[in-house]
Amino acid sequence: MTPEKTYCYSYQRISSKQQRLGDGINRQLRESKKFCEQKGWTLDTSFNLTDIGKSAYHGHNLDDTAQLGIFLNAVKEGLIRTPAVLLVENLDRLSRANISDALQLFLSIINSNVSICTYADGMLYTKESIRDNPSGLMLSISIMFRGHEESEIKSRRIKSVWKKKLENLKAGKIQHKSLAPKWITIEDGTPVINEEEANIVRLIFSLCIDQNMSYAGIIRYLRDVHKPSVEVCGKYLSRLFKEPRVLGYYIPKIRENPDNDRIKAYPAIISEKTFYEAQAKINSRRNLLSGKPSSKQVNLFRGLLRCGECGGPYIMSRSGTKTVYRCKEKYQSKNGCQQRSVLAPKFRDILMHMVSVIDSSDMLEAKASKQKIQLAKQVEIKNAELQDKKSRITNLAELLETGSKIALSRITALEQEVETIETIIDQLTAQIEDLSSSLLSKSMTTVNYFHQKFATDSLSDEDYFPFNEALSTIIKEIEVFKLSEDKQIIQVKIHLKTETDISAVVYKKYKAEIFRNNVFASRVTATE
């Protein structure tokens, strides 16, 4: 190849993200650029060929999401100009896999009219050089074999170390404090609860479940009142609520524990019921707040509004610079629905007036049962537990291809647990259905309390979820209909679970007449 026609692509790789703190990538870039200049080659930088945290031993750098994998696919599809040179520091940057797989990769590259050059030793491997001088192939095989052997030895050592650590953990012995959470201290290798730290964690779960506080609310409360030693942030709370460390489990990474099984390593500081109840609470709150147009515009009626024209969800979203309520199917599925859009603040104001018309006597008409609410709460907790089990099955399933017998046995056990939980959920649901429809006076108290704070503009983030939850126990659905009269915009119907209806006809300028069971109740004008 003449220098004018020699295009090369420099590939850099480091095995772990922690290595970014070093100079590995920058060093490889500097050396490859210097080598190209010495050879008079043209370095094509239009293709990003840097892989960070991609293992060549496991072949992760050849995945479709890895830069080397993407580059090689581009070569196969004729998107890379050839002949070309793939420039690497050493052959082990390309692969540290077993020799048969590494050799197959090596030959597939040079057979695609892309030469391989290792600038550390100045070796250039081409299809012609391998054909004319097989010793070059023998050299490449020995280098790749050495790279694989080094990785294999390192892998065995790491596995041996972690096997010993995991055996100690299973035996209730922790050799390193880094394996234990903040609320666990190590005394002669035995994990012991630090009650002061544990009480902070218990308080966090209590604030989530009993006070229904958001992450932001919990952080503010702890910083203002308790000022814990742990740096409390959203990421810390997310890990706390998701990971079963509070139940005493240590979950090794897959490389540390091929069977991905959690280990009972230290004492639990809360019960499983509390752990899953918190997850259920967070999931319910997320359903209310996710997808909101802005932090100041919360959909208080999320999950309740329906388009009366097509039956689709009537959602709150952004339209240009305004926030509106509109039919989701009309704007996303293009189903031909002729429903109108309405300004969210004004429509919300009207809905709040309609809610204020609901009388306590409406609630007394229902044969309320506290047991139904308690059962529904148990179903939420069991559903959170069910999702946790299913997630663990999904993670373990990925290991079946490696032939892990323990992974297979754990999946079988988890599937049996899933079946048991699903049976319990069915039983709880059946009990709920057997009970007559019930609405507690507490729901009306919550709604009235929220309405008072809404009217005085004194709401906080912690008020939204209880209000929406209370509405869900009172209201069956809210339908929005388009009206044909020029002066009328829409008609809204709130269907209570007690078979009582609150309706409103909304006119232009958002003036509305509100009716209770078709009897005039009040007339309002939205002021939002």
Side-chain angles (χ1 to χ4, degrees):
M1 286 184 281
T2 60
E4 298 79 36
K5 294 183 180 180
T6 304
Y7 294 91
C8 65
Y9 299 84
S10 177
Y11 175 61
Q12 299 74 229
R13 181 185 64 79
I14 52 179
S15 301
S16 66
K17 294 180 180 179
Q18 289 80 3
Q19 289 178 308
R20 285 182 298 185
L21 300 175
D23 193 44
I25 292 296
N26 290 331
R27 175 180 51 77
Q28 292 176 59
L29 285 169
R30 287 195 304 269
E31 293 298 324
S32 62
K33 183 178 180 181
K34 179 180 177 181
F35 188 84
C36 280
E37 291 174 351
Q38 291 174 349
K39 289 287 188 179
W41 292 348
T42 302
L43 181 61
D44 191 334
T45 58
S46 61
F47 214 101
N48 177 22
L49 268 175
T50 299
D51 277 325
I52 296 175
K54 299 292 185 180
S55 170
Y57 176 64
H58 296 288
H60 295 161
N61 62 331
L62 302 178
D63 294 343
D64 290 340
T65 57
Q67 294 304 318
L68 180 60
I70 294 172
F71 174 79
L72 296 180
N73 286 332
V75 171
K76 292 177 183 178
E77 294 173 8
L79 302 177
I80 302 297
R81 65 182 114 193
T82 57
V85 176
L86 180 59
L87 196 58
V88 293
E89 184 177 35
N90 292 296
L91 288 177
D92 60 7
R93 293 293 171 187
L94 288 177
S95 179
R96 282 178 171 263
N98 62 71
I99 190 61
S100 58
D101 291 339
L103 182 58
Q104 183 179 1
L105 172 65
F106 177 87
L107 293 175
S108 68
I109 294 174
I110 63 174
N111 284 332
S112 299
N113 207 17
V114 176
S115 304
I116 299 174
C117 181
T118 53
Y119 55 80
D121 56 12
M123 289 295 297
L124 178 65
Y125 303 94
T126 68
K127 188 175 181 180
E128 293 75 17
S129 68
I130 294 297
R131 179 193 61 204
D132 298 339
N133 185 11
S135 62
L137 179 60
M138 298 300 105
L139 177 62
S140 66
I141 291 175
S142 65
I143 294 173
M144 289 185 289
F145 178 77
R146 185 183 64 210
H148 172 71
E149 189 175 38
E150 289 174 354
S151 293
E152 184 71 21
I153 293 172
K154 182 180 178 181
S155 176
R156 284 199 298 266
R157 287 175 179 170
I158 292 174
K159 287 180 180 179
S160 176
V161 170
W162 273 104
K163 183 179 179 181
K164 182 64 177 176
K165 288 182 180 180
L166 296 179
E167 287 174 353
N168 288 334
L169 283 172
K170 291 177 181 179
K173 299 292 183 181
I174 300 180
Q175 305 299 325
H176 302 279
K177 179 63 180 75
S178 61
L179 299 177
K182 182 74 174 179
W183 56 86
I184 295 293
T185 58
I186 309 301
E187 297 181 4
D188 297 326
T190 302
V192 179
I193 296 176
N194 180 331
E195 289 297 338
E196 182 179 356
E197 296 289 347
N199 283 335
I200 293 174
V201 176
R202 293 177 186 129
L203 174 63
I204 289 173
F205 275 82
S206 175
L207 293 174
C208 172
I209 298 169
D210 301 326
Q211 304 300 321
N212 194 42
M213 283 192 182
S214 64
Y215 283 9
I218 293 173
I219 291 170
R220 283 196 301 270
Y221 181 87
L222 291 176
R223 286 178 178 172
D224 295 343
V225 179
H226 284 270
K227 299 179 181 179
S229 58
V230 176
E231 179 64 27
V232 179
C233 59
K235 184 177 180 181
Y236 171 77
L237 292 178
S238 179
R239 287 192 62 192
L240 198 64
F241 288 124
K242 289 180 181 178
E243 298 177 2
R245 295 184 302 160
V246 289
L247 301 179
Y249 290 105
Y250 172 78
I251 302 181
K253 297 178 182 178
I254 293 178
R255 70 175 180 85
E256 300 165 0
N257 179 26
D259 299 303
N260 199 29
D261 195 16
R262 57 186 188 177
I263 298 169
K264 185 69 174 177
Y266 28 78
I269 59 172
I270 63 169
S271 67
E272 284 199 10
K273 178 180 180 296
T274 300
F275 179 70
Y276 289 116
E277 190 173 356
Q279 289 192 6
K281 204 77 170 179
I282 292 167
N283 289 335
S284 298
R285 186 161 53 237
R286 186 179 295 119
N287 289 337
L288 170 65
L289 298 176
S290 63
K292 60 186 180 188
S294 73
S295 59
K296 296 181 180 179
Q297 302 271 9
V298 178
N299 188 356
L300 302 177
F301 301 88
R302 187 179 181 88
L304 295 172
L305 287 161
R306 288 276 163 194
C307 172
E309 303 299 317
C310 70
Y314 202 65
I315 63 171
M316 188 169 73
S317 63
R318 296 290 295 179
S319 178
T321 59
K322 299 177 180 179
T323 303
V324 299
Y325 276 100
R326 58 188 182 182
C327 175
K328 180 179 179 180
E329 298 298 325
K330 176 180 179 180
Y331 288 91
Q332 292 189 8
S333 302
K334 309 294 184 182
N335 65 348
C337 178
Q338 298 301 309
Q339 182 62 274
R340 297 175 185 268
S341 308
V342 292
L343 292 174
K346 292 183 178 294
F347 184 57
R348 184 178 64 175
D349 193 37
I350 291 173
L351 287 174
M352 289 299 297
H353 279 288
M354 294 178 70
V355 168
S356 70
V357 173
I358 301 174
D359 194 278
S360 297
S361 62
D362 296 325
M363 300 303 100
L364 296 176
E365 293 175 12
K367 297 178 181 179
S369 170
K370 288 185 178 181
Q371 186 180 359
K372 179 183 176 183
I373 305 300
Q374 292 170 351
L375 290 171
K377 192 174 182 180
Q378 290 179 42
V379 170
E380 283 188 356
I381 294 171
K382 285 297 177 184
N383 274 323
E385 187 177 351
L386 181 66
Q387 293 305 314
D388 177 61
K389 304 288 186 187
K390 288 184 175 180
S391 175
R392 289 169 60 192
I393 289 174
T394 300
N395 293 334
L396 285 167
E398 296 177 358
L399 299 174
L400 284 179
E401 295 180 2
T402 65
S404 172
K405 294 181 180 179
I406 298 179
L408 180 59
S409 64
R410 286 298 302 137
I411 288 176
T412 302
L414 284 169
E415 286 177 339
Q416 291 175 349
E417 292 176 25
V418 165
E419 187 176 345
T420 300
I421 294 172
E422 288 176 337
T423 300
I424 294 173
I425 291 174
D426 289 341
Q427 292 172 347
L428 292 171
T429 304
Q431 292 179 50
I432 292 173
E433 291 174 351
D434 289 340
L435 295 171
S436 57
S437 297
S438 66
L439 292 164
L440 301 177
S441 59
K442 181 180 177 182
S443 298
M444 276 307 301
T445 302
T446 301
V447 170
N448 291 334
Y449 174 73
F450 183 90
H451 193 272
Q452 292 172 6
K453 296 190 73 174
F454 178 83
T456 57
D457 196 26
S458 57
L459 291 170
S460 64
D461 291 343
E462 283 71 36
D463 294 321
Y464 297 130
F465 176 73
F467 174 71
N468 183 262
E469 190 177 49
L471 283 184
S472 298
T473 65
I474 296 170
I475 296 174
K476 190 177 186 179
E477 67 176 355
I478 304 174
E479 289 187 292
V480 183
F481 298 89
K482 173 190 173 185
L483 295 179
S484 57
E485 294 289 338
D486 290 339
K487 294 182 179 180
Q488 298 173 338
I489 301 177
I490 55 172
Q491 182 182 32
V492 185
K493 289 185 178 181
I494 297 180
H495 301 291
L496 302 181
K497 291 184 179 180
T498 57
E499 305 305 324
T500 300
D501 286 346
I502 309 295
S503 60
V505 176
V506 182
Y507 298 88
K508 289 184 177 179
K509 296 185 179 180
Y510 291 90
K511 297 180 179 180
E513 293 179 345
I514 301 175
F515 302 83
R516 183 175 179 275
N517 280 342
N518 297 321
V519 177
F520 178 79
S522 66
R523 183 178 289 109
V524 299
T525 300
T527 57
E528 284 282 332

